[in-house]
Amino acid sequence: AQSVAQPEDQVNVAEGNPLTVKCTYSVSGNPYLFWYVQYPNRGLQFLLKYITGDNLVKGSYGFEAEFNKSQTSFHLKKPSALVSDSALYFCAVRDTDSNYQLIWGAGTKLIIKP
Amino acid sequence: SQTIHQWPATLVQPVGSPLSLECTVEGTSNPNLYWYRQAAGRGLQLLFYSIGIDQISSEVPQNLSASRPQDRQFILSSKKLLLSDSGFYLCAWSATGGPGNTIYFGEGSWLTVV
């Protein structure tokens, strides 16, 4: 069965430091991977996705993610964190086995401290 | 550009009362439409998805139903609400086509059943 895991429930980073939010996946075919961000009491906003091609994907708000096939990971990164980056981050993988729905990670709360 | 509107943003309903949440998408045609529920500020659960008018799939058995009276309108309903129906409901859309298409979310509706 296809799955996605976000091993960290919460990540704490000091403002200005680099940040990484981890995501690992398990798929039977080609992976289609997505990152979303959710601010309090708001809907989810799309950040970036990997479909094919370059392993380093750049997205909104200065975020990027690196696709690593051998490690089955798709970690979200940003070189310099902002306090405004504090939010809930979701990784998702497309279920290509059945109905092409997104399988969601449990979410990682990112806290950026001034 | 495409936009998604979801309303009402918040509502408080007594147990046993009916529910109607509405969602419309603008700037596209024949979208895939989705209703998600988010409990406890974390996990996303797909409730319904629709690939066209009168083509609605339910992902989990529940007290809710969905309808798609027009191409870009998606409605979530209940005849009699339960306390367990409380939560944050998110409407979303994606273009038809391959697994790489992005899902875009509305701003959500907070439902409290009392």
Side-chain angles (χ1 to χ4, degrees):
Chain A
Q2 302 186 96
S3 64
V4 60
Q6 294 181 243
E8 300 156 318
D9 186 64
Q10 182 171 309
V11 172
N12 298 298
V13 178
E15 186 178 26
N17 283 359
L19 69 87
T20 298
V21 182
K22 296 180 180 178
C23 173
T24 59
Y25 65 90
S26 174
V27 298
S28 56
N30 293 325
Y32 298 86
L33 298 155
F34 301 78
W35 274 105
Y36 287 80
V37 60
Q38 185 180 31
Y39 297 100
N41 300 316
R42 303 290 298 277
L44 277 70
Q45 295 181 34
F46 168 71
L47 280 178
L48 50 80
K49 65 183 177 183
Y50 173 82
I51 305 302
T52 186
D54 194 347
N55 289 342
L56 185 63
V57 179
K58 294 188 182 295
S60 306
Y61 312 121
F63 283 93
E64 58 189 26
E66 186 170 11
F67 170 67
N68 188 316
K69 188 173 183 178
S70 63
Q71 298 185 7
T72 62
S73 66
F74 189 54
H75 300 333
L76 183 69
K77 300 181 180 182
K78 187 173 183 180
S80 179
L82 301 173
V83 173
S84 57
D85 292 329
S86 298
L88 188 58
Y89 290 80
F90 289 97
C91 181
V93 63
R94 185 78 73 180
D95 182 358
T96 55
D97 273 352
S98 58
N99 58 11
Y100 284 84
Q101 297 307 323
L102 284 179
I103 300 171
W104 295 89
T108 298
K109 186 175 184 180
L110 177 64
I111 298 176
I112 309 299
K113 298 181 179 180
Chain B
S1 63
Q2 300 87 6
T3 56
I4 179 169
H5 303 283
Q6 181 180 345
W7 71 94
T10 60
L11 67 165
V12 179
Q13 296 284 97
V15 170
S17 65
L19 170 72
S20 180
L21 299 179
E22 297 193 28
C23 174
T24 60
V25 180
E26 297 177 357
T28 188
S29 59
N30 195 31
N32 293 331
L33 296 172
Y34 310 83
W35 278 110
Y36 282 88
R37 178 167 57 201
Q38 185 177 26
R42 284 298 180 106
L44 288 160
Q45 180 185 38
L46 179 64
L47 301 176
F48 300 94
Y49 71 95
S50 172
I51 62 173
I53 293 177
D54 296 328
Q55 296 178 284
I56 299 172
S57 298
S58 174
E59 289 296 296
V60 293
Q62 57 206 324
N63 185 42
L64 302 169
S65 62
S67 62
R68 186 169 177 171
Q70 300 180 42
D71 179 47
R72 292 171 291 160
Q73 184 183 21
F74 207 25
I75 297 173
L76 183 68
S77 303
S78 174
K79 292 182 179 179
K80 291 185 178 181
L81 283 168
L82 306 172
L83 286 174
S84 58
D85 291 323
S86 295
F88 191 49
Y89 290 83
L90 292 156
C91 182
W93 76 275
S94 69
T96 55
N101 286 340
T102 301
I103 294 179
Y104 297 96
F105 288 82
E107 285 300 309
S109 298
W110 275 107
L111 170 65
T112 303
V113 183
V114 296

